[in-house]
Amino acid sequence: MAIMDFHGSSSRGEDIHVVYVEQRDARSAFAFAIVDRELPRIVHWGRPLSDPRTLVAAVDALRPQRVSGALDETAWPSILPTQAEAWTGAPRFVVRAGGVELFCRFTVTDVRIDDGGATVSAEDAEQGVRILWRCELRESGLVRQRMSVVNMRAEELEIGTVELAFPVPADMTEILTTTGHHLRERSPQRQPFTIGRFQKASLVGRPDFDSSLLLNVGRPGFGFTHGDVYSVHVAWSGNSLMAAERLPYTSGLIGGAEALSGGEVTLCADGDDNRYTTPWLYGSYGEGFNEVASRFHNELRATHAQWRAELGVAEKPRPVILNTWEAVYFQHDFDTLKALADKAAASGVERFVVDDGWFGARRDDTAGLGDWHIAQDVWPDGDHSLKALADYVHAKGMEFGLWFEPEMVNPDSDMYREHPDWVLRPTAHRLPMQGRNQQVVDLTNPQAYGYVYGCMDALVSELGIDYIKWDHNKYVTEAVSPRTGRPAVHGQTLAVYRIFRDLKTAHPGLEIESCSSGGGRVDLAILSLADRIWASDCVDPVERADIQRYTSLLVPPEMIGEHVGASPAHSTHRATSQQMRMAMAFFGHLGIEWNLLKEPQSALDELGVWVDAYKRHRADFAHGTVVHGDAADPAVRVDGVVSASGERAVYRFTQLTTSQTYPAAPVRLPGLAPDADYLIQPLACNLASGEPFTQIGNGQSELGWWNSQGVVMNGGALDAFGLRPPCIHPANAVLFSATRV
């Protein structure tokens, strides 16, 4: 990384200080200018510049003229626009003293540059408010910024909103976000970026199904492989918002913030509680989504490598998982799960996870949650205990995992009956509306925190737990702590992070999955602590095609739980071929959500073939580059992973529905070196588990390259004109490889 700063003067005679940062290997650069001690303004975000010294002139080149009918200065937004700098859009800095809103004008007092980025201090001395803005350009090419607000007043200061922003070029006029609901997360939607404000807020204590992992703006029609794209992400697992906004006087801003309730964060006049720090706001620029996403993937991989180094834990291949939920639901017993473990091990499974139903009175979802002790009526002490099962699983050479929902409690539980004050509630006599018969434990209460952490810590030690599936199934609404009488989502979120850190520090090598009714809590903050996420409770591979594709805008494949389920799928009752189900689960962290005890041996044999194939490729999935194609045909998808060396790639062609083109048109293969030749051939598991032309195909003649010999093609040709995929029935998929020759 290179960091440079330059000084000069504007045409008005103002002092200009420009800080320019670039990561040339990541093809990313960023610069801001401070004019006469005003807050920084971003003057460049994109590719590295050949002569960054010229950015001093950007102040004169970009500053707008005064226009009629407005203020004496036309709005030229800083990183924190306020009315004091002519911003007339949505309020982005809201603080109150004694219930009265303060309108601040900040003056820069210090600029410090270090190896990682820059820190700018500014204050409104008259009103007693100081801010410290931190900006960094990461090795991944991501830009990130956050701000601390410091109370210098003699009275408390309430924080309302601190919404940071990135400007984008004026021709970025289309917005893409995702919407969704349970069982259908990450559904893309587009709209024009017009004058006004577009906002996506998540106010249920987690990002939720409807959240957009990224808010993206770009040239109209941008896709995975083409078009400039600017994206932002708020790295926060509680309430948050992201917004895109344009005024008649400005080009667009994109940004976001933690969403705070009134009185939730109040800064003391002095001491340790006089500062609030925002979550990191990340920005990613790229030509197409594939480049934007690769920056987030590289960032998360670097974060986890650092975690492993700190804990002295070696990297290992992602273990193939079997999770018991859709196999047995709440119907636990030793003999059944022991037999399921035998089938799992024989199929190549490396991690066996016991899901909900092992504790307290938890025979269904109405009772027992919060009573984190092993149910003696289901798992009696002795040779049929849960410990005996864990030991059996370990003896089979598999890791043992266990499900928890630490943040929630059933009112029908010993925990709630003994400690009703440990539950978030708006008043002393009213609980929030329930969800799935649950309420939310107040983890900001030290006693409640100590109980939950203590139970989990003890069970990890007692059972030798290698892996925790951490669920979060209820919206966090009307979330007031009885202990403080204040809204508590902010503190609750920090407490969750603390449990993750404490458990992983106490038990080096322990892995934790973040599940929230599937994909309800997915963000960089939780991902920096969790080892994977559960993308969706829906394992129907047709639905998963886009759920997984748009989840991968933020999450690298090795962190996305992708499971092979039953047919018909439990959530949709759609029947699909076993090959489709396995192909759709292939690129991520492969797992099985399926009662193998009810399947014929032929299905288990086929499963074993695909598990073996996954193991041969998973190292590339954990370190390679995810690529998605932009097929014109809405009925098909092309997805792939190119190895870190660029020597190999695996692609998936999916025919979701019938196409207007019959057979399907040639598809481009993105990500290959244009000056190299590649051997393209079906993955062996396609052929070993049944010839697609007789199993899932509907072509009436041979496809020339679909055989073990394959075909050699140039990478440039494969990206320009592509190749013809097999003609297959709807709701089916095939895998093929590209190997450099």
Side-chain angles (χ1 to χ4, degrees):
M1 183 174 70
I3 304 179
M4 296 167 252
D5 65 331
F6 311 101
H7 295 266
S9 299
S10 73
S11 60
R12 299 181 182 183
E14 303 152 315
D15 291 330
I16 299 173
H17 184 188
V18 171
V19 177
Y20 171 81
V21 191
E22 71 174 24
Q23 290 279 6
R24 196 155 286 273
D25 289 346
R27 303 178 65 221
S28 181
F30 179 82
F32 63 86
I34 297 172
V35 182
D36 263 5
R37 300 174 65 196
E38 295 176 347
L39 287 181
R41 291 179 170 90
I42 295 169
V43 293
H44 179 70
W45 179 22
R47 301 300 185 201
L49 301 177
S50 62
D51 189 2
R53 293 173 298 176
T54 60
L55 288 172
V56 171
V59 172
D60 285 332
L62 293 173
R63 178 160 45 195
Q65 296 173 276
R66 183 194 309 167
V67 292
S68 63
L71 297 169
D72 283 354
E73 294 284 348
T74 300
W76 182 26
S78 71
I79 46 92
L80 188 68
T82 64
Q83 288 192 346
E85 60 180 52
W87 175 256
T88 55
R92 289 168 176 264
F93 185 72
V94 179
V95 295
R96 297 181 177 89
V100 177
E101 187 165 336
L102 306 182
F103 294 92
C104 293
R105 179 182 177 88
F106 292 104
T107 300
V108 172
T109 57
D110 186 48
V111 180
R112 297 192 179 184
I113 300 171
D114 55 50
D115 291 341
T119 301
V120 177
S121 303
E123 64 182 46
D124 184 330
E126 186 176 5
Q127 301 203 74
V129 182
R130 177 186 297 146
I131 57 176
L132 295 93
W133 178 67
R134 176 68 180 174
C135 177
E136 299 176 353
L137 180 60
R138 308 288 286 171
E139 187 176 350
S140 60
L142 290 178
V143 184
R144 70 178 187 179
Q145 55 173 313
R146 69 180 179 187
M147 181 171 286
S148 295
V149 182
V150 182
N151 181 20
M152 302 188 302
R153 301 173 64 90
E155 58 186 326
E156 288 188 341
L157 184 73
E158 180 187 336
I159 305 297
T161 302
V162 186
E163 183 179 343
L164 299 170
F166 291 97
V168 294
D171 56 352
M172 302 295 108
T173 56
E174 186 174 61
I175 299 171
L176 186 146
T177 56
T178 59
T179 183
H181 53 73
H182 186 226
L183 306 176
R184 197 180 195 276
E185 300 86 341
R186 323 285 179 247
S187 180
Q189 57 183 9
R190 293 179 185 256
Q191 54 264 330
F193 188 3
T194 56
I195 291 173
R197 180 174 171 91
F198 173 86
Q199 177 174 306
K200 290 276 288 182
S202 301
L203 303 174
V204 292
R206 65 187 190 191
D208 203 40
F209 314 118
D210 183 47
S211 74
S212 190
L213 300 185
L214 306 181
L215 185 149
N216 314 278
V217 300
R219 296 184 187 277
F222 65 89
F224 285 94
T225 61
H226 67 279
D228 286 341
V229 188
Y230 292 83
S231 306
V232 291
H233 171 80
V234 178
W236 184 245
S237 312
N239 292 340
S240 64
L241 64 88
M242 290 190 291
E245 188 167 12
R246 287 179 61 200
L247 304 183
Y249 310 102
T250 68
S251 56
L253 295 178
I254 56 175
E258 179 182 9
L260 294 167
S261 298
E264 186 165 4
V265 174
T266 300
L267 306 182
C268 298
D270 51 33
D272 296 334
D273 296 327
N274 72 333
R275 177 177 301 205
Y276 164 75
T277 300
T278 70
W280 286 108
L281 174 68
Y282 283 82
S284 184
Y285 162 76
E287 184 180 353
F289 274 139
N290 287 341
E291 184 177 7
V292 164
S294 71
R295 301 195 189 283
F296 288 106
H297 298 176
N298 291 339
E299 182 74 15
L300 278 166
R301 286 166 174 168
T303 297
H304 279 271
Q306 182 178 346
W307 248 105
R308 289 192 298 270
E310 291 175 0
L311 296 175
V313 176
E315 182 182 8
K316 66 181 181 184
R318 297 295 77 212
V320 177
I321 286 178
L322 184 139
N323 189 70
T324 66
W325 179 243
E326 287 196 7
V328 299
Y329 292 100
F330 288 105
Q331 306 306 308
H332 288 202
D333 70 77
F334 179 87
D335 291 335
T336 298
L337 292 190
K338 176 176 177 290
L340 188 58
D342 289 337
K343 293 288 188 182
S347 299
V349 168
E350 298 157 307
R351 175 180 286 164
F352 187 85
V353 182
V354 175
D355 210 289
D356 195 358
W358 56 268
F359 54 90
R362 188 73 166 176
R363 306 291 78 76
D364 55 34
D365 68 1
T366 65
L369 193 62
D371 296 339
W372 300 115
H373 52 81
I374 298 169
Q376 288 295 301
D377 57 331
V378 177
W379 297 103
D381 290 340
D383 57 6
H384 281 58
S385 67
L386 190 57
K387 178 67 165 65
L389 179 67
D391 290 344
Y392 185 80
V393 166
H394 285 138
K396 299 286 288 187
M398 295 184 289
E399 296 180 1
F400 180 74
L402 197 62
W403 181 95
F404 289 87
E405 193 170 3
E407 299 155 82
M408 306 299 166
V409 63
N410 290 132
D412 184 5
S413 67
D414 293 339
M415 176 186 173
Y416 181 81
R417 283 184 285 270
E418 294 170 12
H419 301 284
D421 56 319
W422 285 4
V423 172
L424 296 174
R425 60 177 72 218
T427 72
H429 304 292
R430 181 170 67 85
L431 289 170
M433 183 181 293
Q434 287 193 173
R436 204 184 174 194
N437 307 294
Q438 295 177 191
Q439 295 295 343
V440 182
V441 179
D442 180 9
L443 292 177
T444 70
N445 183 318
Q447 291 182 312
Y449 181 97
Y451 164 76
V452 170
Y453 176 79
C455 289
M456 297 180 75
D457 178 54
L459 283 162
V460 171
S461 297
E462 177 187 343
L463 299 178
I465 294 171
D466 304 289
Y467 178 83
I468 288 172
K469 180 181 177 183
W470 180 311
D471 218 335
H472 176 288
N473 285 312
K474 183 195 179 294
Y475 287 163
V476 184
T477 54
E478 297 185 288
V480 176
S481 169
R483 190 173 66 91
T484 64
R486 290 179 178 270
V489 172
H490 176 81
Q492 184 84 357
T493 306
L494 294 177
V496 169
Y497 297 159
R498 182 183 161 201
I499 295 183
F500 268 75
R501 291 192 190 97
D502 288 355
L503 283 172
K504 297 186 79 170
T505 301
H507 306 279
L510 175 69
E511 295 191 5
I512 306 178
E513 171 186 320
S514 174
C515 174
S516 189
S517 296
R521 182 160 65 189
V522 182
D523 65 272
L524 276 183
I526 202 72
L527 285 164
S528 70
L529 298 168
D531 297 277
R532 79 168 201 164
I533 55 100
W534 182 224
S536 177
D537 278 348
C538 178
V539 295
D540 177 334
V542 174
E543 300 296 318
R544 276 272 182 151
D546 279 350
I547 292 172
Q548 292 173 182
R549 171 176 265 219
Y550 285 92
T551 299
S552 75
L553 291 183
L554 182 70
V555 190
E558 71 274 16
M559 295 186 72
I560 302 176
E562 300 181 3
H563 288 191
V564 179
S567 179
H570 291 195
S571 58
T572 64
H573 288 198
R574 178 189 277 122
T576 53
S577 68
Q578 186 171 342
Q579 176 158 326
M580 171 64 169
R581 305 198 310 277
M582 292 183 297
M584 193 54 61
F586 198 77
F587 288 144
H589 187 176
L590 180 67
I592 298 165
E593 195 87 10
W594 194 9
N595 191 349
L596 302 183
L597 298 174
K598 294 184 177 180
E599 298 303 316
Q601 189 59 44
S602 59
L604 300 182
D605 292 342
E606 186 171 357
L607 176 63
V609 168
W610 283 74
V611 168
D612 287 343
Y614 167 77
K615 290 178 180 179
R616 288 195 293 273
H617 292 278
R618 61 184 167 185
D620 284 345
F621 300 162
H623 298 278
T625 301
V626 174
V627 290
H628 300 291
D630 288 309
D633 184 351
V636 306
R637 302 288 185 273
V638 177
D639 310 287
V641 178
V642 181
S643 69
S645 67
E647 297 294 308
R648 303 173 300 281
V650 176
Y651 292 93
R652 177 176 59 222
F653 172 76
T654 306
Q655 185 82 46
L656 288 177
T657 65
T658 58
S659 298
Q660 289 182 332
T661 303
Y662 189 52
V667 293
R668 301 186 186 200
L669 303 186
L672 302 176
D675 58 349
D677 295 339
Y678 293 87
L679 171 63
I680 312 298
Q681 58 189 157
L683 227 59
C685 55
N686 286 277
L687 303 177
S689 63
E691 171 61 54
F693 294 119
T694 58
Q695 297 288 323
I696 65 170
N698 56 3
Q700 297 184 1
S701 64
E702 297 292 330
L703 181 65
W705 68 273
W706 193 263
N707 50 58
S708 58
Q709 289 74 44
V711 65
V712 174
M713 290 283 290
N714 176 258
L718 289 165
D719 186 48
F721 266 67
L723 85 166
R724 181 82 64 175
C727 186
I728 55 178
H729 291 300
N732 277 295
V734 292
L735 299 176
F736 52 94
S737 62
T739 306
R740 192 166 182 164
V741 297

